[in-house]
Amino acid sequence: MAALKPILLVEDNPKDLELTLEAFAEAQLANDIVVARDGAEALSYLFHEDGQAVSKPTDPKYPAVIILDIKLPKVDGIEVLQRIKANDSTRAIPVVMLTSSKEEQDLVRSYRLGVNAFVVKPVGFKEFFDAIRDIGSFWAILNEPPPGCHPRRPRGS
């Protein structure tokens, strides 16, 4: 069986990062988690300096899903999303905005750019933890990716 694709987590808040990683561990996801702490780091993971995608769907580093905060240092999440969805090689990667922003303009702009889901970070610890666990489980296990795009983990494994 082919290796599972990693989850690219783009988060600059150390507390949210720690909780997110704990929630993924509790969900027992077998996917590796690649962490980028700002938008520039995320783009560096996905693209060469010339703008060409570093990874193709057959590449082991091609993410199963990108979980992306909007408010990031260096390059904000909206610009990262725009770059991902504008490139033929990365367009099919599911992107979930996980953000504390409740601004309608962020929601509208994200969907116009092709985000697959927009989740406002719950304030309570348990609610945040449960939301992250559910996001990881859905996108890494239950979601059916485009044919040939990502190897899937068999259900029940």
Side-chain angles (χ1 to χ4, degrees), residues 14 18 28 32 39 56 69-70 85 91 94 121 124 133 137:
E18 183 180 347
Q28 298 181 347
D32 287 336
K56 305 286 185 224
D69 193 2
I70 286 182
K85 295 303 182 179
R91 180 176 296 128
K121 292 177 185 175
R133 187 189 61 233
S137 295

Side-chain angles (χ1 to χ4, degrees), residues 122-137:
V123 176
F125 171 81
K126 181 177 179 349
E127 292 82 7
F128 181 87
F129 201 82
D130 290 347
I132 297 299
R133 187 189 61 233
D134 292 347
I135 290 168
S137 295

Side-chain angles (χ1 to χ4, degrees), residues 96-117:
V96 177
M97 283 294 192
L98 180 66
T99 179
S100 55
S101 174
K102 292 183 180 182
E103 296 179 31
E104 186 175 332
Q105 67 184 13
D106 288 340
L107 177 75
V108 170
R109 191 158 179 222
S110 294
Y111 276 111
R112 281 189 181 145
L113 291 171
V115 78
N116 299 86

